[in-house]
């Protein structure tokens, strides 16, 4: 990732462990390997989602659990959970901070507590408290695309009629 950025490329990687069906489409002169899954391809979803927000490396909890020592040896933060289409199963999504340059990694680690408090308030439907936490994170690190994304979600969810609280999970659905 760092080499690609030094060369002027933006690189984003999404890592998931969903079971895929592989096949070859086309004919003998022009063919392509195709992968499909009943939930879609979560790795491509994470790659696109991260690319839009400037997050170079995203990983599902299932993939992280398969890497020996991941939770002890890597720097990461929980961004939230995605709901899989085939049921009520949700999968945690981690931003792997070891994919960031050193300065950006330090900023995100320094604001991790505030980010986690904002994420928890958001999940509990307290969008005002969540928004304030994410604004604090964003003011300390204006390059934190995940914090900005949550600020926008909080603003969207906070305009509901009185007494009605509903979490907009659409962006987290695959």
């Amino acid at each position: 990732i760092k080499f690609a950025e030094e060369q002027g490329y933006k690189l984003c990687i999404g890592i998931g462990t969903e079971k895929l069906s592989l096949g070859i489409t086309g004919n003998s002169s022009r063919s392509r390997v195709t992968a499909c899954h009943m939930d879609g391809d979560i790795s491509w979803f994470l790659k696109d989602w991260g690319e839009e927000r400037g997050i170079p490396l995203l990983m599902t909890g299932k993939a992280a659990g398969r890497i020996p020592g991941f939770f002890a040896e890597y720097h990461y933060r929980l961004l939230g959970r995605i709901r899989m289409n085939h049921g009520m199963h949700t999968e945690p999504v981690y931003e792997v901070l070891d994919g960031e340059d050193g300065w950006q990694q330090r900023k995100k680690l320094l604001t991790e507590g505030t980010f986690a408090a904002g994420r928890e308030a958001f999940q509990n439907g307290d969008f005002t408290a969540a928004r304030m936490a994410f604004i604090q994170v964003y003011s300390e690190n204006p390059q934190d695309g995940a914090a900005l994304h949550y600020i926008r979600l909080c603003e969207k969810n906070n305009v509901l009629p009185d007494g009605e609280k509903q979490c907009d999970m659409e962006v987290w659905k695959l």
Side-chain angles (χ1 to χ4, degrees):
I1 292 172
K2 290 175 185 172
F3 176 77
E5 288 177 352
E6 288 171 2
Q7 302 302 311
Y9 297 104
K10 283 282 188 189
L11 182 65
C12 184
I13 300 170
I15 302 173
T17 61
E18 70 279 4
K19 293 179 182 176
L20 297 174
S21 298
L22 294 175
I24 298 175
T25 58
N27 56 37
S28 59
S29 64
R30 251 185 114 156
S31 62
R32 177 179 168 188
V33 175
T34 303
C36 61
H37 183 263
M38 66 186 285
D39 284 323
D41 188 343
I42 194 169
S43 298
W44 282 106
F45 169 79
L46 292 175
K47 182 197 79 67
D48 290 345
W49 197 92
E51 195 170 46
E52 290 172 11
R53 290 154 186 86
I55 302 170
L57 184 55
L58 293 171
M59 184 176 295
T60 64
K62 193 178 284 185
R66 292 181 138 189
I67 298 172
F70 175 83
F71 294 102
E73 297 174 21
Y74 289 86
H75 300 95
Y76 63 91
R77 70 177 178 180
L78 176 65
L79 291 183
R81 300 182 73 86
I82 57 172
R83 185 174 310 282
M84 308 302 279
N85 279 344
H86 67 273
M88 295 305 293
H89 171 72
T90 61
E91 183 71 23
V93 175
Y94 296 100
E95 176 181 11
V96 183
L97 301 176
D98 295 291
E100 300 272 6
D101 67 56
W103 181 243
Q104 189 61 264
Q105 183 186 73
R106 282 190 294 280
K107 286 181 184 178
K108 289 183 178 181
L109 288 172
L110 288 172
T111 58
E112 169 57 22
T114 308
F115 187 93
R119 186 189 64 243
E120 188 172 318
F122 182 88
Q123 290 170 343
N124 291 330
D126 187 351
F127 303 117
T128 302
R131 182 176 178 272
M132 291 179 72
F134 291 121
I135 286 173
Q136 182 178 344
V137 170
Y138 190 72
S139 69
E140 293 178 34
N141 182 8
Q143 294 176 318
D144 193 327
L148 180 60
H149 178 70
Y150 267 116
I151 291 167
R152 291 177 178 154
L153 284 178
C154 289
E155 290 170 350
K156 180 179 177 181
N157 282 298
N158 236 2
V159 298
L160 293 172
D162 287 340
E164 194 177 323
K165 294 215 175 201
Q166 179 180 344
C167 179
D168 180 4
M169 291 297 290
E170 198 61 38
V171 295
W172 291 99
K173 282 186 184 174
L174 181 59

